[in-house]
Amino acid sequence: MITDVKGLHHVTSMAADANENNHFFTQTLGLRRVKKTVNFDAPEVYHLYYGDEIGTPGSVMTYFPFGRMPRGRRGTGEVGVTEFAVPRGALGFWKDRLAARGVAGLSETSFLGEARLGFEGPDGDSFALVESEARDRTPWTGADVTEDAGILGFHGARLRLRDAGATAELLGFMGYRKDETDGNVTRYRIEGGNAADTLDLEELPGGPVAGQGAGSVHHIAFAVEDRAAQLRTRQALIDTGYQVTPVIDRDYFWAIYFRTPGGVLFEVATNEPGFDRDEDTAHLGQALKLPTRYQPYRAQIEGLLPEIAE
């Protein structure tokens, strides 16, 4: 069994418009943009990172805004809901705030005793705010979001699958333990990690298969402390029969990827070196940062990227 996974590291999705995406996460949700860079495989597309003050692993939502990308089709084989943790008692604040800004899909529910507020992002992305203990996390209080209501980081995520059995076995191998079941949703929790420590598997045997597009999660990343832990994790996955990529340097973390039995793309990312490796904390996310191989083409790349209103 893998013992190095510490919970979630980040979640990466796709969007249709960089400015709309940036405004939603920084002005509506009050998160901090901690990095403005480009897609390693498509440098004409931004890679935008949002999180807490320093982009703590377990707090970072990232986006590839492919201009005018068609919306994705919701279904099975994807991360169906990305969940953010907020302090207890904060959902009233968020319900009023999101309603005042015309955010779609507002719905109040509960799961396993936790109060939840569901809502949609600009591209129909599925999100939920879940009331939770702070657990030593401090929210970024941007855009007039108060500290007693600010987003603390991820609570977890919900995967929608036609058959959850094989993915449940994988999570067990990765150190997650089965928690509780409510209807067709079962929670898995990892002990001893960061506070972004839950995954829910929603089983929908007759559900349509998802089609990726704007508003879809591209991959979900799990945190390990360092490169040594990542190599141990990679070898354990390979020994179990998974096809895992080589280690890839993503500038702010090292990454490996593999496809799960249910179709969701998993990443394992290191907590090192972090988002302050090329910017000081006070100025995170302000300048366009390019991977080394694209530095000679900065002028051309900047000419292709849309201006983002700050």
Side-chain angles (χ1 to χ4, degrees):
M1 188 178 79
I2 294 168
T3 58
D4 288 299
V5 172
K6 302 299 181 184
L8 296 186
H9 186 283
H10 65 270
V11 177
T12 294
S13 293
M14 297 177 289
D17 183 84
N19 271 285
E20 186 177 45
N21 181 261
N22 181 77
H23 186 272
F24 183 78
F25 282 92
T26 62
Q27 299 304 309
T28 299
L29 296 187
L31 297 177
R32 185 182 194 188
R33 193 179 72 215
V34 295
K35 195 61 59 180
K36 181 170 68 171
T37 183
V38 295
N39 186 314
F40 270 69
D41 302 313
E44 73 281 5
V45 176
Y46 279 117
H47 194 176
L48 304 175
Y49 293 75
Y50 310 99
D52 64 10
E53 181 183 14
I54 60 172
T56 303
S59 78
V60 181
M61 188 81 206
T62 98
Y63 270 88
F64 301 132
F66 290 93
R68 301 181 182 176
M69 185 183 210
R71 282 198 177 186
R73 182 182 66 250
R74 301 280 77 84
T76 59
E78 68 172 352
V79 177
V81 184
T82 302
E83 304 167 344
F84 296 103
V86 295
R88 297 199 185 281
L91 288 190
F93 169 91
W94 282 106
K95 181 182 177 182
D96 292 345
R97 180 181 178 88
L98 298 182
R101 286 162 172 76
V103 172
L106 293 179
S107 63
E108 293 181 90
T109 60
S110 65
F111 180 66
L112 301 182
E114 297 170 337
R116 301 163 61 91
L117 178 66
F119 64 99
E120 294 180 5
D123 294 295
D125 331 42
S126 294
F127 296 111
L129 298 172
V130 183
E131 290 192 349
S132 178
E133 298 295 337
R135 296 173 64 181
D136 298 320
R137 297 190 287 184
T138 302
W140 177 254
T141 52
D144 301 320
V145 175
T146 59
E147 187 167 346
D148 61 356
I151 291 173
L152 300 165
F154 291 125
H155 179 271
R158 180 169 294 185
L159 278 57
R160 291 185 173 139
L161 308 166
R162 282 192 167 185
D163 183 344
T167 302
E169 286 187 23
L170 170 61
L171 291 181
F173 183 66
M174 291 173 63
Y176 282 80
R177 293 185 179 181
K178 184 177 179 180
D179 196 349
E180 296 183 69
T181 298
D182 185 353
N184 64 335
V185 182
T186 300
R187 170 155 294 173
Y188 293 80
R189 188 185 303 275
I190 200 160
E191 301 294 336
N194 60 34
D197 56 3
T198 67
L199 275 183
D200 297 337
L201 302 187
E202 182 177 6
E203 195 165 51
L204 299 165
V209 176
Q212 286 209 332
S216 300
V217 172
H218 184 271
H219 62 267
I220 184 168
F222 298 83
V224 293
E225 194 60 41
D226 52 31
R227 296 186 72 186
Q230 184 181 64
L231 289 174
R232 289 192 297 269
T233 300
R234 180 176 185 270
Q235 191 59 54
L237 289 166
I238 289 172
D239 290 346
T240 308
Y242 286 95
Q243 300 295 311
V244 187
T245 68
V247 176
I248 302 172
D249 183 356
R250 295 304 194 196
D251 281 353
Y252 311 107
F253 47 86
W254 283 272
I256 57 174
Y257 303 86
F258 65 102
R259 187 71 62 178
T260 67
V264 181
L265 183 61
F266 277 12
E267 175 184 346
V268 179
T270 61
N271 289 345
E272 58 177 1
F275 294 102
D276 60 354
R277 68 174 296 272
D278 57 2
E279 290 179 295
D280 64 83
T281 300
H283 298 96
L284 288 179
Q286 295 182 12
L288 176 65
K289 296 298 180 180
L290 296 179
T292 301
R293 69 174 181 264
Y294 293 135
Q295 288 291 357
Y297 312 104
R298 174 174 284 274
Q300 296 97 308
I301 291 171
E302 288 180 340
L304 293 170
L305 294 169
E307 192 77 21
I308 294 181
E310 302 301 332

